[in-house]
Amino acid sequence: MARHTPVMSVMVAAARKAARGLQRDFGEVENLQVSVKGPANFVSAADKKAEKTLFEELNKARPGYGFLMEEGGVVEGADKSHRWIIDPLDGTTNFLHSIPQFAISIGLEREGQIVAGVIYNPITDELYTAEKGGGAYLNDRRIRVAARRELNQSIVACGVPDLGRPGHERFLGELSHVMKQVAGVRRMGAASLDLAYVAAGRFDAYWEANLAPWDMAAGIIMVREAGGYIADLKGGEDMLGTGGILAGNEILMKQLAATIKVSHTAA
Ligand code: IPD
Ligand code: CA
Ligand code: CA
């Protein structure tokens, strides 16, 4: 059983409360799908509403902690050593298209280190939690990264840059190298869940460039507490600063890092 500390209980309660709104709105999106304009404005309102709920709940429970949120940006707190890093709706494009692969992601930073994370998919009711030194859990079950040692037996997830975003050519170079070495590649569309799936041993490894801190914060501690390894795309530790991330068990993460590096030098 996952024994939640008081701060983890606060994070889980906030995520579940915001999830109730997203569940309702996801149902509504299916109805709006037929209109020509589609549900874009509705989804953006759902996103902001979820963030407001998270902000209010976390602020009430831990007054003074700072915030870094996708929609609201930085909110300085009186307590300079704690900061919430929040994506209220990770996987917006999926949500917009009625694809049930999205999540609320909450990371807690203490003195610049991520110490707790919650990733919650309200549709599948999968709740991922991790605290520094306490392991990672899916609902109440302890999770571990997969033990595979060979890339050619591995399923590797990635992110594909969207229309209008940078890095298309670079990604194609990475993919052309990676796909020749792995059993299969996946692009699910919610970075936080990609990392949670690595933690749960569903994906063997994962890489993506140009992410924001709120896409990764909770996922980083999830993978580490599941026994996995994380690096930026240069093999360093500046994931939040560079936006690049590699994840997997120690062996696969390093093999994938080497493949990505070769793809960059070959470009
Ligand atoms: C996006 C998702 C996606 C990733 C993008 C992110 P959003 O977040 O995590 O998987 O590839 O780079 O921006 O916009 O849905 O919160
Ligand atoms: Ca996101
Ligand atoms: Ca988002």
Side-chain angles (χ1 to χ4, degrees):
M1 268 291 275
R3 288 186 310 277
H4 289 166
T5 61
V7 77
M8 180 53 72
S9 302
V10 163
M11 293 165 78
V12 169
R16 286 199 187 278
K17 184 155 187 194
R20 286 201 285 278
L22 287 182
Q23 270 156 357
R24 274 195 304 273
D25 292 339
F26 187 69
E28 193 56 32
V29 162
E30 291 175 331
N31 300 330
L32 293 171
Q33 220 52 271
V34 288
S35 79
V36 180
K37 246 187 102 195
N41 291 338
F42 179 82
V43 170
S44 140
D47 193 348
K48 292 198 175 75
K49 220 165 45 187
E51 187 171 282
K52 184 165 180 279
T53 302
L54 294 170
F55 176 78
E56 284 170 0
E57 291 302 304
L58 295 171
N59 199 37
K60 194 165 64 189
R62 291 292 182 276
Y65 282 22
F67 285 82
L68 172 62
M69 300 175 285
E70 178 166 22
E71 304 302 326
V74 173
V75 177
E76 297 285 349
D79 176 343
K80 299 296 173 205
S81 50
H82 290 94
R83 182 166 78 145
W84 302 111
I85 304 181
I86 295 177
D87 192 339
L89 171 53
D90 183 41
T92 327
T93 308
N94 284 342
F95 190 96
L96 187 65
H97 289 260
S98 305
I99 301 167
Q101 180 78 1
F102 60 88
I104 290 166
S105 176
I106 309 171
L108 174 62
E109 210 177 51
R110 180 175 299 135
E111 310 291 357
Q113 248 205 5
I114 300 154
V115 293
V118 164
I119 299 166
Y120 182 50
N121 179 336
I123 306 304
T124 59
D125 193 28
E126 288 191 328
L127 176 75
Y128 296 86
T129 56
E131 278 188 274
K132 197 166 181 351
Y137 294 82
L138 164 50
N139 294 332
D140 280 332
R141 189 167 55 81
R142 182 89 189 247
I143 50 175
R144 301 228 18 116
V145 293
R148 287 192 188 83
R149 305 166 76 88
E150 309 288 343
L151 275 183
N152 64 15
Q153 291 166 17
S154 298
I155 293 292
V156 177
C158 65
V160 182
D162 285 343
L163 183 64
R165 298 287 309 274
H168 286 218
E169 290 308 317
R170 190 171 86 147
F171 171 73
L172 287 173
E174 293 168 356
L175 181 64
S176 80
H177 280 76
V178 172
M179 68 198 275
K180 291 186 185 100
Q181 303 208 23
V182 304
V185 176
R186 297 288 182 274
R187 197 301 191 241
M188 305 287 277
S192 60
L193 287 174
D194 292 333
L195 287 163
Y197 280 24
V198 170
R202 293 175 177 175
F203 291 149
D204 298 293
Y206 162 69
W207 94 99
E208 185 158 358
N210 293 317
L211 289 175
W214 45 80
D215 298 316
M216 299 184 266
I220 288 172
I221 185 153
M222 207 65 63
V223 170
R224 286 186 171 146
E225 287 299 321
Y229 283 70
I230 296 272
D232 63 37
L233 294 185
K234 291 204 159 79
E237 297 239 326
D238 192 17
M239 291 78 65
L240 298 194
T242 63
I245 191 162
L246 285 156
N249 66 30
E250 185 177 12
I251 294 169
L252 291 182
M253 194 279 274
K254 288 182 177 164
Q255 285 179 15
L256 183 62
T259 305
I260 300 283
K261 193 169 167 196
V262 168
S263 83
H264 292 165
T265 49

